[in-house]
Amino acid sequence: MRVWDINAKLLAPDLAVRLYQMHWNGEIKGFDHLFGIDSRVTALFRKRENRWLICHYVKAPAAPMLHLQKYYASNVADVFLTD
């Protein structure tokens, strides 16, 4: 798993939010190929007894059309690209 575009903000003395992009690779039992996908993540942390604990976590992949556009862009021949 890789993460980037990490943004964190303290919302209250005992509450913080973290937003970031994530890419994960994996194998799912029952499928004959590997998977990799980019997702956006929102996580809320609550401070309890001097420890920060995740109290809310949402992971959302990009819309299917964005995946298709990314796939099409990755198939453009190098000779077609210009500076």
Side-chain angles (χ1 to χ4, degrees):
M1 183 173 70
R2 298 185 312 269
V3 298
W4 66 96
D5 289 342
I6 301 167
N7 294 294
K9 183 177 183 179
L10 193 61
L11 302 175
D14 65 341
L15 185 67
V17 64
R18 182 174 170 184
L19 310 168
Y20 57 94
Q21 304 285 325
M22 176 182 74
H23 177 88
W24 63 266
N25 296 307
E27 183 177 6
I28 299 175
K29 187 176 181 177
F31 288 84
D32 60 354
H33 57 279
L34 301 174
F35 289 86
I37 193 165
D38 291 334
S39 293
R40 297 160 295 182
V41 178
T42 301
L44 288 177
F45 296 82
R46 176 76 65 187
K47 191 172 186 180
R48 301 268 188 217
E49 299 174 5
N50 294 323
R51 297 184 322 167
W52 288 95
L53 305 171
I54 293 175
C55 61
H56 179 80
Y57 180 85
V58 176
K59 178 174 57 176
M65 183 54 77
L66 293 177
H67 285 286
L68 187 57
Q69 289 173 349
K70 197 174 190 181
Y71 171 74
Y72 286 155
S74 72
N75 285 307
V76 174
D78 290 338
V79 295
F80 185 74
L81 300 174
T82 59
D83 292 327

